[in-house]
Amino acid sequence: MNNFDQEIAYEAAQKKVKKLKGFYIHLLVYLVVNIMIIYANYTNSNTNTSIFEFRNFSTAFWWGIGLLAHGFNV
């Protein structure tokens, strides 16, 4: 393997690591933001409503689809 091939392989590996890091950052932001949203929706709701309502998880659901697509892309 010559120097040029090693450089190409190194750049490809760098690109892959950058994409993987971007996915993990996306996942972390997804978890933090959706936990805050679910908590806020639950604490601001009436006492006779359940935490398991679609409005509490709608953001997590739709964003989760986008996160899944991001994961498949990586």
Side-chain angles (χ1 to χ4, degrees):
M1 190 175 222
N2 63 18
N3 195 20
F4 182 71
D5 290 338
Q6 287 179 341
E7 188 175 324
I8 290 175
Y10 179 75
E11 288 175 5
Q14 255 186 333
K15 191 174 185 180
K16 186 173 183 175
V17 168
K18 187 176 180 180
K19 288 176 89 174
L20 193 58
K21 183 180 175 184
F23 172 74
Y24 282 125
I25 290 172
H26 188 183
L27 177 64
L28 179 66
V29 171
Y30 169 82
L31 290 173
V32 170
V33 169
N34 282 298
I35 287 171
M36 291 178 2
I37 289 172
I38 291 168
Y39 178 75
N41 284 342
Y42 180 68
T43 57
N44 292 334
S45 66
N46 296 335
T47 57
N48 53 348
T49 59
S50 174
I51 190 171
F52 299 107
E53 293 181 4
F54 182 72
R55 72 178 185 95
N56 290 338
F57 297 100
S58 63
T59 304
F61 177 75
W62 296 112
W63 191 353
I65 292 173
L67 183 65
L68 187 66
H70 188 181
F72 281 132
N73 188 25
V74 170

